[in-house]
Amino acid sequence: MYVCSCFGITDKQVKEHAAAGACTPRQIASATKAGTDCGSCVRTIQGLLGRGACPRRELLEKGDGAAVLAADSRLVPAIAAGSAPEPALAEAA
């Protein structure tokens, strides 16, 4: 099912990014751009992420920055594999 019709992001893609360590809509947006246009999908994304434990947040609270960077690096291959469109460049005014 499409979660974000603006960028064609599915619930499966959101769940894959969540499994890779994304635990907030903002992290999903960074990886997929979902929620960055009209914003109507943000609540759906929040629902898919749930209120469960967030390993990334727990690592930050423990002060384990290296583990957070390692978790974040798992999101980069998903973006490179094409599951997220490249961000559009802003035109100069």
Side-chain angles (χ1 to χ4, degrees):
M1 159 184 95
Y2 282 100
V3 172
C4 176
S5 56
C6 295
F7 295 104
I9 305 302
T10 65
D11 60 331
K12 180 181 176 191
Q13 289 171 298
V14 171
K15 290 174 185 176
E16 287 171 354
H17 288 292
C23 12
T24 66
R26 183 170 290 189
Q27 291 169 338
I28 297 295
S30 293
T32 67
K33 291 183 68 178
T36 62
D37 193 26
C38 78
S40 66
C41 61
V42 174
R43 288 187 186 230
T44 304
I45 292 169
Q46 287 173 328
L48 289 170
L49 295 174
R51 293 199 176 264
C54 177
R56 186 179 188 278
R57 189 176 308 119
E58 291 169 6
L59 291 171
L60 283 171
E61 288 172 358
K62 290 180 182 177
D64 194 349
V68 172
L69 291 174
D72 287 349
S73 70
R74 287 182 278 167
L75 294 175
V76 174
I79 296 169
S83 65
E86 289 294 318
L89 297 175
E91 294 182 25

